Amino acid sequence: MERIVINKPEITKKYKKQKASSSLQRKEGLQGYLFIAPWIIGFLFFMAGPLLFSLYGSFTNFNITSKMDFIGLDNFKKMFTNDPIIWLSLKNTLYFVVISVPLTTAGAVMLAVLLNQGIKGMRVFRTIFYLPAVLSGVGVYLLWMQLLSPSSGLVNTLLGFVGIDGPAWLTDPSWTKNALIFMKMWSVGGGMLLYLASLQGVSQSLYEAAEIDGATSFRKFFHITLPMITPVIFFDLVTSTIGAFQIFQEAYVMSESGDGGPANSLVFFNLHMWNKAFEVFDMGYAMAMSWVLFIIILVLTVFNLKIAPRWVHYEGEDRK
Amino acid sequence: MKTVRKTLVSLLILAISFSLILAGCSSKESGGSKSSGTKDGEKVVIDFWTFWGSETRRPIIEKIIDDFNKSQDKIEVKHTYLPWGDVWTKNLASIAAGNPADLIINDINAVGHRAQNNQNTNLAKYLEQDPEVKDRFYPELYNASLYEGDPYALPFNTDTRLMFWNKDMFEEAGLDPNTPPKTWAELEEMGKKLDVKKGDKYERIGYLPNQGIGADVWMINADGKGYWDFDAKKAIINDETNVEALTWMKNYYDYYGDKTINSFKAEFGEQTADPFVAGKLAITTDNANFFTKIRDYGDGMNFGVAPLPAMEEGSGNSSWGGGFVAEIPKGAKHPDEAWEFLKYLTDVQAQEYWAVKNFDVVANKEAAEKAAGSAEFSEEGKMVYSEAAENMKQTLLTPTPNEAPDYINLIQPEIESVLLGKKSPKEGLDAAQKAVEELVKSNKK
């Protein structure tokens, strides 16, 4: 969070002035570099190399074992003109992002507010609601496949008690994505923890002042609580948007034979990319796809950062 | 003084972390060089990769390897187990790095695709030395291992789709327990008689046309041809019999409706209970080794086994199968030795052992026929295995066409849309045909 607040140029200027060129400082600087050296070396060897390679690879017909010819923009051309599934996968991914990100964010905020009440045994509740965030991966998906089973699953059984005839979650193509979103809602505990921490940082004096002015709890929430935690909401929004665009595992595990069925309703961008890369070894094309996704996410994130000043409120900062 | 100490401490920490990293690297390296073939005294060590690591399969393949190692003193085969999800990706990476295994178990349907992409070794020169090897296999399997006329792998095991029916349920429904349906019409008629309904819920269903097999198998069953014409090298997804097969399936599907089938399918996911074994289904179509589920969990079920019913009388009972091959990755260090072991692996003794211990249909004809009479099988086991061995004569494979390696990804969603009622069978298959033709065109460029 702080990283966004800090005004970088100023600080470095100050730092530089202070530094002069004392040998002590230089030594410390060197030590600093030595300390981050393992990370930098790791990054250069294991991240930067493959990253650059995939950038180059996206302009080739690389298939791992036999071909690597430069084919210019052909992969990108093919993507936009000759791959019907890629559009479908983008649509599916966007649907998932647009619905799941606001829902999970709102869910996490609400949960945090509820868990911020001062009632007895709150620690126990907090633990319980945080637990799903600790569990992860395939085990959880398999569990949910059972819970979402149309006629014997717990979810539809519960819906049945209140007279709702539950859908065939993972087998009906118009419900599969909703099923995944529903599942994601279960593990909002991770975000909740962030909000809980920031809620506790909201100064009590603000509430006291509002109470003296006769504010209702509704107004207190919308005019004090919410604005005070906007930096965390912003952070959560940006990171979970990025995460949601990269959805893969859920669809891979929870669709029949991992192909994104039924009726391609779970073909997400990354799943399609994986199929291209590891099913048919069209690695160059898959690399090109990954760069397209990167650009989409980059643009969205920059957009998010640009509009952030309109609604994100930092304490001690003047409204412009 | 303080800074000196600080520097020393930080250098020490750095040194430790570096040595840890180096230790990590070096242990990896030594592991790597061991796994590739190296001369161990006189013997040549070859590395054999499989994904058979389960409690049942691992001892079986390792016994075969052990027998081979003891049978001669020139080659030592080392088994490397890699999980199903990793083994082929790792194979690719190791081929690209020039340090692959000497032999690997891989998918039979993509042999040609791998050959085209330089991932496996042409075995033609070995088959010239040992021409009789090729006659061991069911021809359909051997043919699936060819690329441009040359073999790039040898088939190891396979499977075939059969029909199983519950004899007690037949009797209960007033049907002759020893006369299974022979045509699609009979299957549907008997199936519906076997339904048990309570209110508007099905307690038992006679037969579900997409249980265990899909529309693709019925299309093959109809005329011995599926989505691809291997002679003409083109897609025939929307040919007449395919449309007919899908229409039949769709109508049968609609008789029960989405809701019934979806909840039925979800309840009996692949991993959990099977509806036939659980007594919720009277007829099912599945792999031959589905028998092991009936044997282990069927509680002494009285069942029969037969080939898939024909579309109409005399149209043939074609079935569908897949399987695995053993092949020498491109760039393997000891292809000659790997070939020796490959011969052993596909010979009668090893194949029969695998067949009997796993209840798995093997690629070696003689071994399969021998296994069918094995004293280790129960009477029912013998019945199913010999039916399966017999069925291999009419079992077809669907190797991945190199012109469109991911064609299934374009067809499957269309079939699903048809079954969901979003498109008519003709429309769906026409769309799939068009999409695959486009794919072929774009891959040609």
Side-chain angles (χ1 to χ4, degrees):
Chain A
M1 220 45 34
E2 264 157 309
R3 232 196 299 168
I4 301 163
V5 192
I6 287 173
N7 197 338
K8 265 189 189 158
E10 254 181 46
I11 283 177
T12 38
K13 226 189 275 165
K14 238 198 290 174
Y15 187 57
K16 264 184 192 155
K17 248 186 232 163
Q18 213 179 52
K19 214 173 142 188
S21 61
S22 100
S23 68
L24 176 76
Q25 239 111 28
R26 217 184 302 149
K27 211 177 261 170
E28 277 191 345
L30 194 69
Q31 278 174 17
Y33 283 116
L34 276 173
F35 267 107
I36 57 168
W39 183 87
I40 290 194
I41 292 168
F43 174 79
L44 288 178
F45 280 97
F46 300 117
M47 297 274 291
L51 267 175
L52 287 175
F53 179 73
S54 91
L55 181 60
Y56 175 71
S58 65
F59 298 105
T60 69
N61 59 1
F62 182 48
N63 69 352
I64 308 180
T65 43
S66 67
K67 284 188 291 195
M68 187 150 188
D69 313 317
F70 190 81
I71 53 168
L73 291 171
D74 277 9
N75 284 328
F76 297 93
K77 251 188 250 161
K78 190 172 152 194
M79 222 178 287
F80 288 101
T81 57
N82 217 335
D83 184 355
I85 294 184
I86 204 167
W87 294 108
L88 186 70
S89 74
L90 261 180
K91 216 176 89 190
N92 285 339
T93 312
L94 273 179
Y95 180 93
F96 181 78
V97 173
V98 168
I99 310 275
S100 83
V101 171
L103 274 181
T104 47
T105 309
V109 173
M110 260 152 57
L111 192 62
V113 171
L114 289 176
L115 292 177
N116 198 30
Q117 312 298 321
I119 57 164
K120 238 183 158 187
M122 191 42 89
R123 278 160 193 270
V124 178
F125 287 115
R126 283 179 190 164
T127 313
I128 290 172
F129 282 103
Y130 183 65
L131 263 183
V134 181
L135 307 170
S136 67
V138 176
V140 170
Y141 309 147
L142 292 179
L143 172 79
W144 273 92
M145 285 168 82
Q146 304 235 317
L147 291 178
L148 292 172
S149 159
S151 61
S152 64
L154 197 61
V155 173
N156 278 3
T157 313
L158 286 178
L159 287 176
F161 285 149
V162 289
I164 300 172
D165 196 9
W169 298 98
L170 287 168
T171 31
D172 179 351
S174 46
W175 276 96
T176 45
K177 283 186 283 290
N178 298 338
L180 292 199
I181 293 166
F182 184 51
M183 180 180 86
K184 284 273 150 195
M185 292 291 294
W186 180 65
S187 51
V188 294
M192 178 274 289
L193 205 63
L194 283 177
Y195 291 117
L196 201 56
S198 72
L199 280 175
Q200 303 201 324
V202 179
S203 164
Q204 212 53 44
S205 60
L206 292 174
Y207 293 112
E208 278 160 19
E211 265 158 38
I212 291 166
D213 288 344
T216 60
S217 44
F218 183 77
R219 291 195 65 147
K220 275 193 286 181
F221 176 74
F222 279 100
H223 289 97
I224 300 173
T225 315
L226 219 48
M228 291 305 281
I229 61 169
T230 43
V232 183
I233 296 181
F234 174 63
F235 170 77
D236 189 28
L237 216 55
V238 170
T239 51
S240 55
T241 305
I242 294 173
F245 264 105
Q246 297 174 338
I247 179 170
F248 167 75
Q249 275 189 6
E250 292 82 351
Y252 185 63
V253 175
M254 296 173 81
S255 67
E256 224 176 306
S257 65
D259 60 359
N264 271 351
S265 61
L266 287 180
V267 172
F268 293 114
F269 196 87
N270 270 358
L271 187 65
H272 185 47
M273 180 166 83
W274 189 90
N275 275 336
K276 283 288 178 192
F278 295 105
E279 297 265 287
V280 293
F281 318 132
D282 202 345
M283 212 40 99
Y285 187 69
M287 286 169 173
M289 280 184 73
S290 71
W291 281 92
V292 167
L293 183 65
F294 170 71
I295 287 165
I296 293 174
I297 295 179
L298 183 72
V299 168
L300 267 171
T301 308
V302 168
F303 176 73
N304 262 334
L305 285 167
K306 284 272 180 245
I307 62 161
R310 291 169 187 270
W311 63 276
V312 179
H313 170 84
Y314 293 109
E315 213 172 346
E317 183 192 54
D318 288 330
R319 275 266 162 130
K320 275 165 208 157
Chain B
M1 199 57 218
K2 218 177 170 189
T3 41
V4 175
R5 202 196 287 156
K6 241 177 157 182
T7 317
L8 275 176
V9 171
S10 48
L11 282 177
L12 192 69
I13 292 169
L14 258 181
I16 290 168
S17 50
F18 267 121
S19 62
L20 278 177
I21 290 168
L22 288 177
C25 290
S26 68
S27 72
K28 222 184 208 168
E29 256 165 35
S30 67
S33 65
K34 242 187 250 163
S35 70
S36 82
T38 43
K39 288 222 169 182
D40 177 28
E42 288 288 294
K43 279 188 178 177
V44 175
V45 177
I46 63 169
D47 194 11
F48 176 38
W49 288 9
T50 80
F51 46 84
W52 293 316
S54 71
E55 265 172 60
T56 39
R57 291 201 161 160
R58 190 167 192 150
I60 300 170
I61 190 67
E62 290 189 345
K63 166 83 168 58
I64 292 173
I65 293 169
D66 202 41
D67 285 348
F68 173 76
N69 286 343
K70 282 182 187 144
S71 72
Q72 42 74 45
D73 54 6
K74 292 198 174 63
I75 306 161
E76 168 98 17
V77 178
K78 192 181 135 276
H79 178 216
T80 303
Y81 157 70
L82 293 159
W84 169 252
D86 270 356
V87 58
W88 297 338
T89 327
K90 202 161 177 179
N91 180 40
L92 268 185
S94 66
I95 293 168
N99 189 25
D102 296 294
L103 195 66
I104 184 169
I105 298 291
N106 214 320
D107 172 27
I108 194 166
N109 285 317
V111 173
H113 190 221
R114 290 193 299 274
Q116 187 192 36
N117 290 325
N118 271 334
Q119 296 168 11
N120 46 20
T121 308
N122 189 335
L123 303 177
K125 75 165 186 190
Y126 298 114
L127 274 143
E128 260 166 47
Q129 288 165 27
D130 305 291
E132 73 291 344
V133 167
K134 98 181 225 278
D135 304 319
R136 317 177 154 165
F137 306 105
Y138 289 105
E140 180 72 12
L141 299 177
Y142 181 77
N143 289 340
S145 319
L146 301 177
Y147 171 65
E148 294 185 338
D150 283 344
Y152 280 80
L154 291 184
F156 181 78
N157 62 346
T158 182
D159 51 41
T160 179
R161 303 303 185 274
L162 292 165
M163 178 176 66
F164 297 83
W165 77 96
N166 187 318
K167 287 188 176 176
D168 292 340
M169 289 180 187
F170 266 57
E171 222 164 348
E172 195 191 300
L175 296 165
D176 178 4
N178 295 312
T179 317
K182 293 205 169 48
T183 60
W184 292 4
E186 277 180 36
L187 174 64
E188 198 173 337
E189 193 196 317
M190 289 185 186
K192 288 176 183 171
K193 269 189 199 154
L194 286 156
D195 288 341
V196 177
K197 231 174 159 181
K198 202 176 202 180
D200 58 351
K201 275 214 160 164
Y202 284 91
E203 295 239 296
R204 182 175 88 199
I205 292 182
Y207 177 71
L208 282 177
N210 57 342
Q211 177 67 34
I213 61 177
D216 50 340
V217 179
W218 289 119
M219 291 178 193
I220 291 170
N221 175 263
D223 62 351
K225 277 191 199 127
Y227 296 141
W228 195 263
D229 184 333
F230 289 93
D231 300 321
K233 296 194 172 176
K234 60 171 195 170
I236 47 161
I237 300 157
N238 60 348
D239 80 352
E240 214 180 301
T241 47
N242 284 357
V243 176
E244 234 176 289
L246 188 57
T247 310
W248 171 72
M249 198 173 143
K250 164 70 177 154
N251 291 339
Y252 199 167
Y253 187 97
D254 285 349
Y255 177 78
Y256 295 104
D258 271 352
K259 258 204 89 189
T260 307
I261 290 180
N262 279 343
S263 50
F264 211 78
K265 262 176 98 175
E267 223 154 306
F268 297 100
E270 295 237 339
Q271 285 83 19
T272 53
D274 179 273
F276 182 78
V277 175
K280 296 269 183 189
L281 202 59
I283 306 172
T284 192
T285 36
D286 215 314
N287 275 335
N289 64 8
F290 176 68
F291 162 70
T292 57
K293 279 192 197 164
I294 305 178
R295 180 190 66 195
D296 298 342
Y297 309 107
D299 208 11
M301 178 190 290
N302 186 13
F303 72 98
V305 60
L308 299 181
M311 182 173 176
E312 48 205 30
E313 236 168 289
S315 72
N317 306 74
S318 298
S319 182
W320 175 72
F324 296 102
V325 294
E327 67 184 24
I328 303 171
K330 190 84 173 182
K333 300 280 179 316
H334 305 286
D336 298 348
E337 288 79 4
W339 169 255
E340 287 306 314
F341 177 58
L342 183 50
K343 269 196 299 185
Y344 182 86
L345 199 61
T346 53
D347 210 345
V348 181
Q349 192 195 343
Q351 290 266 299
E352 192 192 343
Y353 184 75
W354 178 271
V356 171
K357 291 288 171 192
N358 264 325
F359 203 88
D360 200 14
V361 184
V362 286
N364 186 308
K365 243 183 341 192
E366 193 189 331
E369 278 153 18
K370 270 182 148 177
S374 167
E376 283 193 42
F377 288 158
S378 62
E379 281 311 307
E380 282 176 338
K382 278 183 202 162
M383 169 180 83
V384 177
Y385 203 101
S386 41
E387 190 69 52
E390 186 61 29
N391 208 43
M392 281 310 294
K393 289 177 193 151
Q394 49 196 7
T395 299
L396 302 169
L397 262 67
T398 47
T400 307
N402 283 349
E403 294 85 347
D406 48 349
Y407 72 137
I408 296 291
N409 291 351
L410 295 171
I411 304 169
Q412 199 50 37
E414 296 293 347
I415 303 244
E416 281 159 7
S417 317
V418 170
L419 291 179
L420 290 161
K422 298 211 164 106
K423 281 181 184 170
S424 79
K426 177 96 177 91
E427 281 165 5
L429 293 180
D430 281 349
Q433 172 79 16
K434 208 178 137 231
V436 171
E437 279 172 6
E438 287 285 316
L439 177 69
V440 171
K441 230 192 278 166
S442 80
N443 282 347
K444 260 188 196 143
K445 265 186 225 161

